[in-house]
Amino acid sequence: LFNKELGQHILKNPLVVNGIIDKANLKPTDTVLEVGPGTGNLTVKMLEKVKKLIAVEMDPRLAAELTKRVQGKPEQRKLEILVGDFLKVDLPYFDVCVSNTPYQISAPLVMKLLKHEPPFRCAVLMFQREFALRLVAKPGDNLYCRLSAYVQLLARVDHIMKVGKNNFRPPPQVESSVVRMEFRYPRPNINLDEYDGLLRIVFSRRNKTIAANFKTSTVMSMLERNYKTFCAVRNIDVPMNFNVKEAMNEVLVSSGYAEKRAAKLDIDDYLKLLCAFNDAGFHFS
Ligand code: SAM
């Protein structure tokens, strides 16, 4: 009956449904964006509380079922269904996003919300437990990773509820969790591709020293290439005796991060390190 590829696991437990809606703090003036409404168990309850709900559903069959579920009811005119892939649609204006989507699209879904303009209040999202724990992990935690450091630069993330497999029909293979994200505005004024580029390097082996992760030929040649582009664009001569390894080492040592490990550093540390590299003309994208 349900399409496995689209990760169709319907949330059956009304306590979980209500818990998610509670955490979204919906107001009568709100426009909600729901991703993957399925048969509409969350949708119909949210429609009672808000001004408008826009649901993005990939499966036309379920979109039709949801349309039928509200037909002839006062809620009908508050509901707009966009049939399509959330990752591909242009998003309309919304105040709050609620999603219980397939776990395969977790990372691109978070990235799309992080980049969305204009600002919105918050997102309440169901994820596979481990993904949720990565989103909230802090320096020193086992699951602290590049995703944690990237997302937490742009959003505050709270774990709000564990949801066992048996709350879904059919039950998925893995345990789930609901998180709430509040996005930081204004966004930090840094180049996100560069920040991500730095994180990729320091987290390539998260328990190795930062210096060890930088001293690979791939990283050094990337830095050298970017450095030369940087000089060319600014009409600066590359110094005759330029040695990427020495210059890079100088930044790592003088900034105090050479012997530190990514697994234990926080966002301020990565920003300081990025700034030290940029000041020396080194770029990561
Ligand atoms: N929200 C419903 C609930 O809680 O009962 C259904 C949840 S089910 C885990 C995921 C839903 O997302 C399905 O209805 C599926 O068809 C839909 N879906 C899957 N991939 C999608 C995508 N890329 N964009 C929009 N909807 C998608």
Side-chain angles (χ1 to χ4, degrees):
L1 196 61
F2 286 108
N3 181 333
K4 255 203 179 153
E5 261 165 41
L6 290 182
Q8 292 174 344
H9 302 279
I10 300 304
L11 193 50
K12 287 291 182 190
N13 184 344
L15 291 177
V16 178
V17 170
N18 290 338
I20 291 175
I21 296 174
D22 263 3
K23 294 296 176 180
N25 259 330
L26 299 174
K27 301 186 182 143
T29 49
D30 278 342
T31 296
V32 176
L33 174 73
E34 188 187 355
V35 190
T39 53
N41 289 351
L42 279 158
T43 324
V44 293
K45 290 220 170 133
M46 290 195 286
L47 279 170
E48 292 168 10
K49 295 179 185 279
V50 299
K51 188 177 86 184
K52 185 170 181 187
L53 190 154
I54 301 158
V56 185
E57 173 56 60
M58 183 117 153
D59 185 341
R61 221 177 30 120
L62 291 181
E65 191 168 324
L66 178 55
T67 307
K68 231 190 272 161
R69 192 163 171 183
V70 296
Q71 216 148 41
K73 303 210 171 110
E75 282 78 41
Q76 182 179 5
R77 54 184 178 81
K78 296 189 193 172
L79 174 65
E80 183 183 327
I81 305 179
L82 304 176
V83 181
D85 181 349
F86 169 75
L87 300 177
K88 297 195 180 133
V89 298
D90 285 333
L91 299 182
Y93 176 86
F94 61 94
D95 300 292
V96 172
C97 174
V98 172
S99 155
N100 171 19
T101 33
Y103 299 147
Q104 306 88 282
I105 68 163
S106 301
L109 177 133
V110 168
M111 293 307 150
K112 183 158 180 163
L113 292 178
L114 287 173
K115 291 187 177 145
H116 182 73
E117 307 259 14
F120 57 102
R121 208 160 70 237
C122 72
V124 181
L125 312 165
M126 176 91 74
F127 291 124
Q128 174 171 350
R129 176 89 37 89
E130 182 172 313
F131 185 86
L133 294 177
R134 284 182 189 280
L135 289 176
V136 300
K138 295 290 177 226
D141 290 351
N142 259 341
L143 289 173
Y144 186 61
C145 62
R146 180 164 71 89
L147 177 75
S148 331
Y150 187 85
V151 170
Q152 290 171 30
L153 174 73
L154 302 167
R156 193 194 127 137
V157 194
D158 291 305
H159 183 282
I160 56 177
M161 148 184 22
K162 291 182 171 182
V163 183
K165 304 172 191 183
N166 293 327
N167 295 292
F168 300 90
R169 291 288 170 278
Q173 303 256 320
V174 292
E175 304 294 341
S176 303
S177 280
V178 178
V179 301
R180 184 171 193 280
M181 297 179 77
E182 264 177 47
F183 302 84
R184 298 188 207 282
Y185 300 108
R187 291 216 183 90
N189 187 16
I190 62 154
N191 178 328
L192 289 177
D193 291 336
E194 283 221 47
Y195 181 69
D196 188 48
L198 173 77
L199 292 182
R200 278 175 197 272
I201 296 169
V202 299
F203 276 101
S204 56
R205 292 164 300 166
R206 61 195 275 283
N207 288 311
K208 288 263 152 60
T209 62
I210 302 281
N213 280 327
F214 267 90
K215 277 181 204 151
T216 71
S217 53
T218 336
V219 172
M220 287 193 293
S221 57
M222 182 271 287
L223 283 182
E224 182 162 13
R225 215 168 40 241
N226 290 353
Y227 181 78
K228 289 182 173 160
T229 314
F230 169 83
C231 290
V233 170
R234 280 176 180 66
N235 251 328
I236 308 170
D237 289 330
V238 176
M240 286 277 277
N241 56 353
F242 177 71
N243 176 315
V244 65
K245 192 168 181 180
E246 278 171 16
M248 183 185 89
N249 240 339
E250 166 62 26
V251 176
L252 289 171
V253 172
S254 63
S255 64
Y257 286 107
E259 298 308 314
K260 301 271 166 65
R261 288 152 216 276
K264 300 266 166 65
L265 297 181
D266 64 20
I267 284 160
D268 282 339
D269 292 315
Y270 306 126
L271 290 176
K272 279 186 205 148
L273 186 56
L274 178 59
C275 198
F277 271 109
N278 286 172
D279 287 347
F282 282 118
H283 292 271
F284 297 88
S285 72

